[in-house]
Amino acid sequence: MKPAEFYMRDRTLHPPAHHPGYKTSVPRSPRMPLLTMHQTPSEITGPTFGHNDFGPLDNDLISNFNHGGDPVGERIILHGRVLDENGRPVPNTLVEIWQANASGRYRHKKDIYLGALDPNFGGCGRTLTDSDGYYYFRTIKPGPYPWLNYVNSWRPRHIHVSVFGTSFSQRLITQLYFEGDPLIPLCPIVQTIPDPEAVQRLIAVMDLNASVPMDCLAYKFDIVLRGRRSTLFENRLEGN
Amino acid sequence: MVQKLDYLKETTSQTAGPYVHIGLAPGAAGFSIFERELGWDIAGPDAPGERIRVEGLVIDGTGAPVKDVLLEVWQADANGVYAHPEDPRSAGVAPGFRGWGRVITNFDTGLWGFDTIRPGATPGRGRDVQAPHLNLWLVARGINIGLNTRMYFPEDAALHGADPVLRTIEQRDRVATLIATKTGPGAYRFDIRLQGQGETVFIDV
């Protein structure tokens, strides 16, 4: 059997482009339906990355912006696996994360929130999954912060996650939330998700076994990318 | 109860938000952290082919440029080969050619641009030939799930009628939204309209 196309994306699991409760989506959402197509080699290929692309501290957000000390905040390990819909691990794929610091402040020239910047926290990391699809980062639990969607909207604590998979059609950006955060159901961006179970799958779970005694807690977050069909009959390869 | 299918469900998309640069282009966010950022070398200096520059704006439904968008491009080399093991010709991909790039906009104007080489035609399904194209994916604050589209080249009009994506577009005047404008030797302009008059065709890949 040879791998063939990726499964059709189940759009009922994803937010619609236009969701009036998330105001910025209103002028930025296409109104025409997406064009339906059969995948070609352009969609079943995608970029590959190697260890030469990265530095040794790229997945350690506690150390990768050290300017004389560690960042403040709750030290955590974030770990999990990248799998496809068939449950198979996705090895050697790039996972990138970015986040606010413990005060809810981003190190970005456009962020003007009064929460303090942390001189020792950059807020970004990247890594390749190993041969079992496993990834891990060390970081600080990000703080919640306010934003002007409604006058008193707050983002729950979250980490942005970008994943590649093996093809450009698996490309995905999401956000992970933290177990027990009361802001999750109140967030207009979370509320764009039509399926309540899909929201639950974005919540990282506290993982005491993976924590390091007297050092840091751990949260586990698995990521699922589109799976793909196998070509069962060679004479139908590539469709006709 | 019938048997159960045990497929996992795809992780749900969430917007990349306004601070996407921190993670994916930290230099643009205003700080230096990695020795090398990813996505600036689509086609290394040794890759043969016509050198081109593509620029454009992403424009929202009110006509305003989107100044915090991030785009990624994925393309074949000048011979139409993808730098990916599943392209049967990938052993012969041009030296120094990655085919993947990532760009952000100028925060003041919204203009984005990247330098690359003009891709060759690529095989489609069966006997199809795909006209030379760039595969584009864009994310931003307010975009709930990344948008896929393609950019084609105006010189290839003779190939566009048979292209498996372009020929599928029912409203024929929308085909033009996927074809760049040539603005000079090796220079192309490709504006992407998210909504309204001239809305770009986005693709469910």
Side-chain angles (χ1 to χ4, degrees), chain A residues 6-239:
Chain A
F6 287 81
Y7 300 142
M8 183 176 80
R9 180 166 254 159
D10 183 352
R11 297 257 167 197
T12 67
L13 302 177
H14 294 284
H18 176 245
H19 195 279
Y22 175 26
K23 293 184 181 183
T24 316
S25 77
V26 174
R28 293 184 169 193
S29 44
R31 299 302 161 89
M32 293 292 121
L34 299 176
L35 182 73
T36 296
M37 70 173 291
H38 292 291
Q39 288 178 352
T40 72
S42 302
E43 288 75 37
I44 64 171
T45 58
T48 53
F49 301 92
H51 290 281
N52 291 339
D53 288 322
F54 310 108
L57 294 179
D58 284 4
N59 70 339
D60 185 357
L61 288 75
I62 288 182
S63 301
N64 71 10
F65 200 72
N66 186 309
H67 283 65
D70 281 353
V72 297
E74 204 175 314
R75 300 159 62 85
I76 59 169
I77 286 170
L78 171 65
H79 75 130
R81 293 175 84 198
V82 180
L83 304 165
D84 71 12
E85 290 169 291
N86 297 317
R88 297 191 186 108
V90 183
N92 303 313
T93 198
L94 177 59
V95 180
E96 296 164 290
I97 65 170
W98 68 100
Q99 62 169 99
N101 69 19
S103 303
R105 176 76 181 269
Y106 283 95
R107 184 168 290 280
H108 191 290
K109 54 185 166 191
K110 297 279 183 190
D111 188 1
I112 53 168
Y113 176 45
L114 52 78
L117 275 173
D118 185 325
N120 295 306
F121 193 70
C124 64
R126 54 193 192 179
T127 192
L128 289 178
T129 56
D130 71 11
S131 55
D132 294 318
Y134 182 73
Y135 75 91
Y136 63 96
F137 292 95
R138 194 166 74 139
T139 188
I140 293 294
K141 195 173 189 181
Y145 60 85
W147 61 302
L148 271 180
N149 188 69
Y150 301 113
V151 72
N152 194 20
S153 295
W154 289 77
R155 292 306 322 280
R157 300 171 193 271
H158 65 278
I159 295 178
H160 296 265
V161 184
S162 160
V163 200
F164 278 80
T166 59
S167 89
F168 212 48
S169 60
Q170 287 176 302
R171 191 79 182 84
L172 182 74
I173 282 183
T174 189
Q175 302 179 28
L176 71 83
Y177 304 98
F178 289 88
E179 185 183 7
D181 189 335
L183 290 169
I184 295 171
L186 305 179
C187 173
I189 289 177
V190 174
Q191 288 169 357
T192 63
I193 302 170
D195 179 341
E197 287 179 17
V199 173
Q200 294 303 309
R201 288 193 295 271
L202 291 185
I203 301 176
V205 58
M206 203 273 285
D207 181 357
L208 196 61
N209 287 346
S211 70
V212 181
M214 307 304 289
D215 182 340
C216 60
L217 279 173
Y219 283 84
K220 177 173 162 290
F221 184 69
D222 287 339
I223 299 160
V224 179
L225 302 179
R226 292 168 72 178
R228 65 195 298 192
R229 205 165 70 70
S230 294
T231 300
L232 303 176
F233 299 99
E234 284 290 335
N235 60 353
R236 294 289 296 166
L237 186 67
E238 292 279 306

Side-chain angles (χ1 to χ4, degrees), chain B residues 38-42 71-74 99-103:
Chain B
L38 297 172
W40 53 272
D41 53 345
I42 306 174
L71 287 98
E72 289 183 357
V73 54
W74 172 241
W100 174 76
R102 174 183 272 172
V103 292

